Amino acid sequence: GDSVTQMEGPVTLSEEAFLTINCTYTATGYPSLFWYVQYPGEGLQLLLKATKADDKGSNKGFEATYRKETTSFHLEKGSVQVSDSAVYFCALRMDSSYKLIFGSGTRLLVRP
Amino acid sequence: DARVTQTPRDKVTEMGQEVTMRCQPILGHNTVFWYRQTMMQGLELLAYFRNRAPLDDSGMPKDRFSAEMPDATLATLKIQPSEPRDSAVYFCASGLVLAGVNETQYFGPGTRLLVL
């Protein structure tokens, strides 16, 4: 079945470091891809999304490009801040479906 | 700034007690989702409503869980009787289906449930 695989955390970085969180997917068709962020004690918030191959989603300095050839949607940020510390979830949704299929989440800890 | 609200935010109860969690979706949204988050299982979809009708509750243990939408502004998730293994964070999310296209899901802050 359709699935999402994320790199295991936690990822610990110093402030202003470059961030990459890997995400790969398995799907029978061409899904829409999402990154959600969960700050401590809060619900998930949509960070960015891409709906077709080669699309780049971006928000708050974060970017991810939909790569069909490698079935990946890696999250990147050029310079992380302490306030970026959170859990990041990659997810997919097939166009005909309402279901979001989530990865297991990657915890990011940014130290001052 | 429209948001999904959930009550209570925290609930501690004893095994065997009934638990009711409430969710107010964003006004105008026509879909509601209930998720459960645990360390072991991650995020699991429990139930899905569209236009107040339950379309998918396959993720929900039928013997003790029930989900309803008595009106467009209220969704409830009930556990009776509760068990320690139900301890988790329960999230409600709402969204909009327009012309058959599923739009973004917006999550509430969650209800943290601890069953002793």
Side-chain angles (χ1 to χ4, degrees):
Chain A
D2 301 334
S3 65
V4 174
T5 302
Q6 288 181 239
M7 61 188 290
E8 292 227 5
V11 173
T12 303
L13 295 173
S14 297
E15 204 165 23
E16 299 184 1
F18 184 87
L19 168 71
T20 300
I21 299 178
N22 290 339
C23 170
T24 57
Y25 67 90
T26 301
T28 51
Y30 301 106
S32 294
L33 300 173
F34 304 82
W35 277 101
Y36 279 81
V37 59
Q38 184 178 27
Y39 297 104
E42 298 185 12
L44 279 71
Q45 302 174 25
L46 180 66
L47 182 59
L48 53 84
K49 67 179 182 181
T51 57
K52 62 182 186 297
D54 300 324
D55 268 2
K56 178 186 283 188
S58 61
N59 186 24
K60 299 180 182 179
F62 291 89
E63 293 183 341
T65 301
Y66 190 140
R67 301 285 188 202
K68 189 176 70 171
E69 62 276 12
T70 55
T71 61
S72 65
F73 193 53
H74 304 322
L75 182 68
E76 297 182 335
K77 187 176 185 182
S79 176
V80 293
Q81 305 301 311
V82 173
S83 57
D84 293 327
S85 298
V87 180
Y88 292 81
F89 292 90
C90 185
L92 70 81
R93 189 184 67 208
M94 302 309 295
D95 282 345
S96 59
S97 174
Y98 52 86
K99 282 190 178 181
L100 278 171
I101 297 172
F102 287 94
S104 55
T106 302
R107 182 175 300 278
L108 170 65
L109 178 60
V110 181
R111 300 191 184 280
Chain B
D1 186 19
R3 297 187 183 197
V4 176
T5 58
Q6 289 186 246
T7 57
R9 291 295 309 274
D10 290 279
K11 176 73 175 178
V12 180
T13 191
E14 292 186 345
M15 183 173 63
Q17 296 298 305
E18 178 178 296
V19 175
T20 299
M21 291 169 270
R22 294 177 174 81
C23 167
Q24 182 172 16
I26 292 173
L27 189 64
H29 281 186
N30 59 2
T31 61
V32 169
F33 303 79
W34 282 104
Y35 291 90
R36 177 170 61 186
Q37 185 179 39
T38 61
M39 290 293 292
M40 294 301 295
Q41 301 295 327
L43 275 158
E44 304 172 276
L45 178 66
L46 297 177
Y48 167 63
F49 287 77
R50 185 190 298 182
N51 297 322
R52 294 177 54 203
L55 295 192
D56 183 356
D57 61 1
S58 58
M60 219 163 55
K62 300 294 189 302
D63 55 338
R64 299 183 299 106
F65 284 60
S66 61
E68 295 179 344
M69 278 200 76
D71 62 60
T73 64
L74 176 65
T76 62
L77 180 66
K78 190 174 296 187
I79 308 174
Q80 169 63 21
S82 58
E83 297 181 1
R85 59 182 167 147
D86 300 329
S87 299
V89 181
Y90 291 82
F91 288 105
C92 174
S94 72
L96 196 59
V97 173
L98 286 174
V101 176
N102 291 280
E103 301 296 328
T104 300
Q105 292 182 29
Y106 293 86
F107 282 74
T111 294
R112 186 178 304 271
L113 173 65
L114 177 61
V115 183
L116 301 173

